[in-house]
Amino acid sequence: MASKSKFQAIRGTRDLLPPETALWNHVEETAHSVFATFGFGEIRPPIFEPTELFARAVGGETDIVSKEMYTFVVGDFDRLIAWREFVSNTNKIRDLDELDIYERSLSYLHRFVQEFVKNGHLPDDDQIRTTLAAVQKTMSFVGAALIEGRRSNGLVNLDELDREVENAAIAAGSIRPGEQISLRPEATASVCRAYIEHNMQQLPQPQKLYYIGPMFRRERPQKGRYRQFYQIGAEVLGGVDAPAIDAEVIEMVMTFFDRLKLPGIHLEINSIGHAADNCRRGYVALLKSELEKVKDKLGADSQRRIETNPLRVLDSKLEHEQSIIEKLPHIADYLCDDCKTHYAAVKRELELRGVFYKENWRLVRGLDYYMRTTFEITAQGLGSQNAVCGGGRYDGLVELLGGPPTKGIGFAIGEDRLILSLQESQGASLATGHRPPFVYIAWMGANAYATAVRAAKDLRAAGIRVELPPTESKFGKALERASKLGAQYALILGDNEVAEGTWTLKTLADGTQQKFTEPHLLDFLKKM
Ligand code: HAM
């Protein structure tokens, strides 16, 4: 027998299976309910967006955008290549004035268009379709002119010909072949895009939105780091930049973790100021010059970052760079007065809410859109990938994406890491919410089967979990299976029970049996 090829989930992706998915659901339900108490509503943006959106929001030089995105060129490659050839040929035609060359090029163009539309492969893009129509019109015009020219044995009106071909060329050139799209590496950019697209600035401000869903980054997989991973995130957009908002957003994450009984969490905060010469820009210039002085002692990544993004050097985890980085100037000493005041107020607001934090001047985050408040939360049991939440303020982002000037702050929790940490710390005792009683219906006989089907329907309608075996089996076998599945009760239905109208319920843990009429049975189980 030919061996069947074995398919496996792609590296860095995985299947989430029961019973673990019950824990995922519990975590997500907790997020829905905690975030609702803070006035947040759910948003579900698409999973892919134009690559340009992430490049602009997250930053072209960041690892996320420059190395880790899953990017696709939309459209059929062959068609796009053919299209480019067509455009260049159209341009060539315009430059020629020999009729026979026109003719040859036109027959080429004709073949191309035929190829393009054959087998009902009409381009699905409206723009392409319009252009094709224009090209076809031009060709028939040129063709007619050629025939006419021949027939009259004179010259065709080359000016007019030129104009028509030029029109086609302009139309062809307006097509942007190969638009790039990317699987989202994060969702803040999408939420801002949606805020602009749906004119949310017209709604009461701020808009408080949260999302739960998969993100994609082509990182090296390891414990707590996947290529498809899940985030639970929230964003506050519009309104004012009051420090109370920063603090409340952080308080909300901490409340959520607290509700889940996530132990060993540590919150670190920082302020990276705003992009001005008397604030972050000034500091970065100073940092850069300080880094140049110690460049030789730094690793290749940090050396590159001196040029591309000096702040990110502070993020380095390399052992031998630590003592060098510790001696660098601290951003807190170079913040402008407004940013300093804002940061001090955020700290006060956190204290007011009883949120414990530690300041970390090296917390700069790996995305370009941040300003002022940045924060990260670590959890236990995660090894090196212990950041379970990251966030911060990003006041310029909506404007950068083409919207009105808008304040913004938010965070994203790594759900995979959150789950890992819960599993490590709480193990088998994990509370996964209310579990309904579980009844296995052991039936025998045709009459009993009809009653069993009805009983299953009634019990399920009352929220009770029911396993109804699809085929008949002896009571002994049925009870064995019920235990194996972990049922609490077996409802025994034979033809006798059905005739008498009293049903037997066996408690599997201790083997005791009780007899019930149908309505009493429902009452009994509902109270479980
Ligand atoms: P981030 O720090 O890139 O921020 O990601 C947030 C969290 O997502 C991380 O702390 C981590 O728990 C989780 N995470 C990131 N990459 C992976 C991965 N490869 N595997 C598993 N978990 C991962 C953002 O994404 C920002 N959009 C957060 C934000 C929202 N800032 C403002 N609003």
Side-chain angles (χ1 to χ4, degrees), residues 416-438:
D416 308 71
R417 295 184 189 176
L418 170 58
I419 299 269
L420 265 177
S421 182
L422 283 171
Q423 286 168 329
E424 302 261 333
S425 59
Q426 298 175 29
S429 69
L430 268 177
T432 52
H434 174 71
R435 291 178 72 97
F438 178 5

Side-chain angles (χ1 to χ4, degrees), residues 156-352:
V156 292
N157 182 343
L158 283 178
D159 285 346
E160 207 172 319
L161 202 59
D162 252 2
R163 239 187 347 267
E164 289 296 329
V165 176
E166 190 171 352
N167 284 343
I170 289 169
S174 71
I175 289 184
R176 282 182 300 129
E179 189 199 358
Q180 290 196 339
I181 60 171
S182 296
L183 296 184
R184 62 182 187 192
E186 61 107 52
T188 308
S190 303
V191 175
C192 290
R193 196 254 320 124
Y195 180 87
I196 300 167
E197 188 170 333
H198 303 289
N199 282 321
M200 289 192 214
Q201 71 275 10
Q202 314 268 343
L203 304 172
Q205 302 294 301
Q207 282 290 297
K208 302 199 241 176
L209 300 165
Y210 74 95
Y211 49 86
I212 301 177
M215 308 291 154
F216 305 85
R217 293 183 195 176
R218 203 167 180 287
E219 295 186 84
R220 197 171 50 76
Q222 65 182 88
K223 182 182 171 189
R225 190 156 78 189
Y226 310 98
R227 290 179 168 179
Q228 172 172 341
F229 61 99
Y230 294 77
Q231 280 187 346
I232 300 176
E235 317 289 349
V236 179
L237 286 164
V240 295
D241 60 357
I245 297 180
D246 306 47
E248 194 180 75
V249 160
I250 296 174
E251 182 191 6
M252 181 166 91
V253 193
M254 299 306 259
T255 306
F256 171 59
F257 286 159
D258 202 44
R259 192 69 55 83
L260 289 171
K261 303 194 172 60
L262 184 71
I265 49 176
H266 291 285
L267 164 67
E268 293 192 341
I269 62 167
N270 190 22
S271 174
I272 57 166
H274 79 297
D277 289 344
N278 67 342
C279 199
R280 185 173 63 229
R281 221 179 291 138
Y283 170 73
V284 171
L286 172 71
L287 183 66
K288 194 169 171 192
S289 72
E290 290 301 309
L291 284 168
E292 298 284 2
K293 294 182 196 157
V294 291
K295 188 170 178 176
D296 297 347
K297 300 193 192 107
L298 298 172
D301 274 347
S302 291
Q303 288 195 0
R304 188 171 42 81
R305 285 184 173 139
I306 297 178
E307 296 311 319
T308 58
N309 190 350
L311 272 184
R312 290 287 285 161
V313 176
L314 304 182
D315 241 10
S316 162
K317 305 273 184 302
L318 285 184
E319 196 58 49
H320 81 273
E321 293 184 346
Q322 301 309 308
S323 58
I324 305 167
I325 293 172
E326 280 306 323
K327 292 190 203 95
L328 293 167
H330 290 203
I331 191 161
D333 301 328
Y334 298 88
L335 294 179
C336 69
D337 288 345
D338 283 351
C339 287
K340 248 183 213 157
T341 309
H342 192 272
Y343 186 37
V346 169
K347 289 186 276 186
R348 264 201 317 279
E349 289 278 352
L350 285 172
E351 282 149 27
L352 189 66

Side-chain angles (χ1 to χ4, degrees), residues 134-148:
V135 170
Q136 269 166 326
K137 191 173 141 242
T138 309
M139 287 200 319
S140 60
F141 170 82
V142 173
L146 284 171
I147 294 163
E148 191 54 39

